Amino acid sequence: MDKTGRWTHELTALAQLISAEGLEETTKWDAPVFCHLGKKVVGIAGFNSHFALWFFQGAQMPDPLNVLVNAQEGITKNTRQWRFSTWNDFPIEQVQNYIREAIVVSETLEPLKPNPLVIKPGPLLQAALDQNQAFQTAFSALPPYQQKDAILHIDGAKKEETKQKRLRQFIEKLSL
C-alpha cells in the first residue's frame, strides 16, 4: 500500500472513502484494490512524491477535470492514475464522482483486450525458415506460444555461435 510510510494517513482515508461507495476491498500486487461485481475498479498506492488512485478502466471514463494520466505510457492501455501530493486540498467530492463513474463504467464496458505481442524471427532463424521448407512447415505447425519461445531462445543469445547452436538443436528437436 505505502512502502515509503509517508502516506499512511492519506491512503487509510482514501480506502474508507472508496469503501463507502460499496466496493469490496482485496489485495493485488501488494496493494489495496477495490472491486465491484468481481471486476477491479480502483486501486490505491503511495509513492515517494505522491499517493494515487488507479482506475482500471480509466481510459474509458470521462475525465472532465483532465486529471487522469497513463502512468506507464506504451505499457498500460486502459489504466489511468490520479495523483495527489497533499491531503490539504484533496477534492473529496470530485474523487467520489470519479469513483462512481468508474463503477458505472465497470458495469457497462468490457475491458480492453491487450494487443497480442508479435515477435518476428531474427535474421538467422528467418534465413533457416526460408531455406528449409520442411523446417518452415514444422515451425508453422507449432502453437504460437512455442514459436515465440523458440524465437526468444534462439535470437536471445548474445553470441552468433550460440544462436547457431541453438538453431541446430531446435531443428534437431523438430526431427528434421
Side-chain angles (χ1 to χ4, degrees), residues 6-7 9-11 13 51 83-95:
R6 181 174 178 190
W7 307 107
H9 168 73
E10 291 85 349
L11 292 174
F51 62 101
R83 297 175 178 172
F84 307 95
S85 58
T86 179
W87 187 261
N88 295 340
D89 300 320
F90 188 80
I92 292 175
E93 284 186 34
Q94 290 91 340
V95 169

Side-chain angles (χ1 to χ4, degrees), residues 2 16 19 24 35 41 60 72 76 78 84 91 102 113-115 134 142 145 149 158 160 163 168 171 176:
D2 181 17
Q16 291 171 348
S19 293
E24 180 182 332
C35 302
V41 175
Q60 299 178 63
Q72 296 177 319
T76 58
N78 210 14
F84 307 95
K113 301 223 184 311
N115 293 332
L142 293 172
Y145 78 92
D149 287 348
K158 292 179 184 174
E160 190 65 25
K163 289 181 184 183
R168 281 192 307 275
I171 291 172
L176 299 174

Side-chain angles (χ1 to χ4, degrees), residues 29-103:
W29 312 288
D30 291 328
V33 171
F34 298 83
C35 302
H36 177 68
L37 301 176
K39 293 182 180 178
K40 295 184 297 285
V41 175
V42 65
I44 59 174
F47 301 93
N48 287 335
S49 61
H50 65 276
F51 62 101
L53 279 166
W54 255 296
F55 294 96
F56 288 94
Q57 302 296 324
Q60 299 178 63
M61 288 174 49
D63 184 12
L65 302 175
N66 199 28
V67 293
L68 300 180
V69 296
N70 186 339
Q72 296 177 319
E73 197 66 48
I75 297 174
T76 58
K77 190 173 187 178
N78 210 14
T79 304
R80 295 295 181 269
Q81 188 182 86
W82 188 352
R83 297 175 178 172
F84 307 95
S85 58
T86 179
W87 187 261
N88 295 340
D89 300 320
F90 188 80
I92 292 175
E93 284 186 34
Q94 290 91 340
V95 169
Q96 288 171 321
N97 290 336
Y98 271 70
I99 293 167
R100 291 175 189 137
E101 186 62 39
I103 292 168

Side-chain angles (χ1 to χ4, degrees), residues 129 132-143 146-147 170-171 174-176:
L129 290 166
N132 185 334
Q133 184 62 41
F135 178 46
Q136 184 176 23
T137 301
F139 185 80
S140 297
L142 293 172
Q146 288 182 346
Q147 291 178 18
F170 184 65
I171 291 172
L174 293 179
S175 301
L176 299 174

